[in-house]
Amino acid sequence: MTLALIQRLPHDAVAEMPGAHLGLSWTPMSAGEAGELCHFIHEVEMHDNLRVGTLPTGCHGVVKAVLAGSGDFLVGRNRNGVLSACAYVLCSIEEDSALVHINAWTSPRWRGVGIGRAVLNWQLGRASELILTSCNPEAVAHASIGTFVEEQVTSRRRILLAAGFSARRVFRIMSKQIDSEEPIKELPQGYALHTWDDRYLDDIRQCHLEAFMEGHWGGHVRASHWWNEAIENMDKELSALVLDGAGKPAGYLIASRKARLDTQPQQIEGWVELLGVAPDSRRLGLGSILLGHYHKTLFDKGIPSSGLSVDTESPTQAEVLYQQWGYRARGEELYYALDL
């Protein structure tokens, strides 16, 4: 018999700060540190040869969520006050599920002394605290802690595995060059393509939840988390939607701009945050039409490439669509999770 979440979580869970013996002093993030944090994260990701960098909008989005009470951001400084490590914990509650997303960055100079493990222990304790205080544990049937890690960051992957995490999903990082204008298919009768319009925001969100609930991994809580993240990062000039004959969203593409850290000099590329089609409007080519429009927008703006990360087990075979449009793999990121 499976124990209820309230019985599985330790009631005396305490998030212990990493010890001072490790060489850093730790404090909760303040609003004034946001810019410094974003710069530090970029520098660490450059050192780690990540293929996709954290957007400043994404960083500020996490800061905003933390300041709104959805989690915590911990900052570690050396004795001279130099930012040397940071980590966050964010909790999302949807219906009967809780998803805690974590991430951490450590300066190369401070690796190999146990900071990564100590920070993860703090994140695990804080995750339990957040779930116990942010929702009714008696009503939550499932809770997990998760994080994305690119394949080449082996030290982070080892720390997660040692703590009981397991790799649950593989996402392919893909890209294509935008060096010519491509033809766009005609829309089916009754459908209309529009640039992004916030007046439809609630309806597009509902379309997204319906699109990602039908057979997709992760359920409502993960689909909601991805939506919030995409909206935070979105570049409205690159995003678009398709309306059906009744004026309701039938498909959408949310895009942003990201730094390609694996190019020298660094390039800004378009990035497909989310692409979805309502279940009753599938097999009409709407996803391909949205992609074609997006590529044309990139070409018109002189943005040289497009990138994305796609679930290799997507039930809609999204990877096949991207391959047909000329996207090629340039790496993988793995989703690690620990069920509570």
Side-chain angles (χ1 to χ4, degrees), residues 240-308:
L241 65 146
V242 171
L243 301 180
D244 63 17
K248 293 182 60 178
Y252 59 92
L253 187 150
I254 300 175
S256 64
R257 304 183 197 218
K258 283 196 176 184
R260 276 198 66 165
L261 302 184
D262 57 352
T263 60
Q264 291 297 332
Q266 282 183 36
Q267 291 181 353
I268 297 297
E269 69 177 352
W271 185 265
V272 180
E273 296 279 348
L274 287 174
L275 171 62
V277 175
D280 57 0
S281 292
R282 288 180 181 160
R283 291 175 290 279
L284 297 175
L286 299 187
S288 192
I289 290 167
L290 283 162
L291 262 181
H293 175 268
Y294 159 70
H295 293 154
K296 182 180 185 306
T297 303
L298 294 181
F299 181 76
D300 291 345
K301 292 184 176 298
I303 298 174
S305 65
S306 171
L308 53 86

Side-chain angles (χ1 to χ4, degrees), residues 1 3 14 17 40 49 53 57 79 85 94 189 191 196 209 211 216 218 223 242 245 289 312 338:
M1 179 178 175
L3 293 174
V14 175
M17 293 280 199
F40 172 75
N49 297 314
T57 52
R79 61 183 179 181
E94 293 286 344
Q189 187 174 359
Y191 288 84
W196 189 265
L209 293 177
H216 279 75
V242 171
I289 290 167
T312 57
L338 175 67

Side-chain angles (χ1 to χ4, degrees), residues 6-176:
I6 193 170
Q7 295 172 293
R8 302 199 304 270
L9 287 174
H11 290 267
D12 57 350
V14 175
E16 293 187 12
M17 293 280 199
H21 67 283
L22 296 174
L24 299 181
S25 299
W26 298 87
T27 57
M29 175 211 67
S30 66
E33 294 176 300
E36 184 185 12
L37 280 169
C38 292
H39 177 75
F40 172 75
I41 289 169
H42 176 75
E43 291 297 315
V44 172
E45 291 178 341
M46 282 283 292
H47 175 272
D48 289 340
N49 297 314
L50 296 198
R51 295 170 177 91
V52 182
T54 300
L55 276 171
T57 52
C59 179
H60 285 287
V62 172
V63 170
K64 184 176 166 185
V66 166
L67 294 175
S70 298
D72 274 316
F73 214 132
L74 195 62
V75 176
R77 297 181 180 275
N78 67 15
R79 61 183 179 181
N80 296 319
V82 176
L83 178 57
S84 302
C86 62
Y88 71 75
V89 181
L90 279 181
C91 184
S92 300
I93 308 292
E94 293 286 344
E95 297 180 349
D96 64 346
S97 297
L99 172 65
V100 180
H101 186 69
I102 63 174
N103 211 338
W105 298 265
T106 303
S107 167
R109 297 178 183 179
W110 286 93
R111 294 179 183 177
V113 298
I115 287 175
R117 290 186 294 275
V119 165
L120 182 57
N121 287 337
W122 170 79
Q123 289 173 313
L124 294 177
R126 190 69 187 112
S128 293
E129 289 179 338
L130 285 169
I131 293 171
L132 287 169
T133 58
S134 301
C135 68
N136 177 6
E138 294 179 339
V140 175
H142 178 262
S144 68
I145 305 172
T147 186
F148 282 96
V149 185
E150 287 194 21
E151 58 183 335
Q152 72 276 16
V153 189
T154 54
S155 58
R156 177 70 172 162
R157 292 169 60 190
R158 285 196 295 268
I159 290 171
L160 291 167
L161 290 170
F165 284 73
S166 60
R168 303 292 176 84
R169 214 73 170 185
V170 176
F171 286 73
R172 195 98 62 217
I173 301 171
M174 308 182 78
S175 63
K176 71 165 282 172

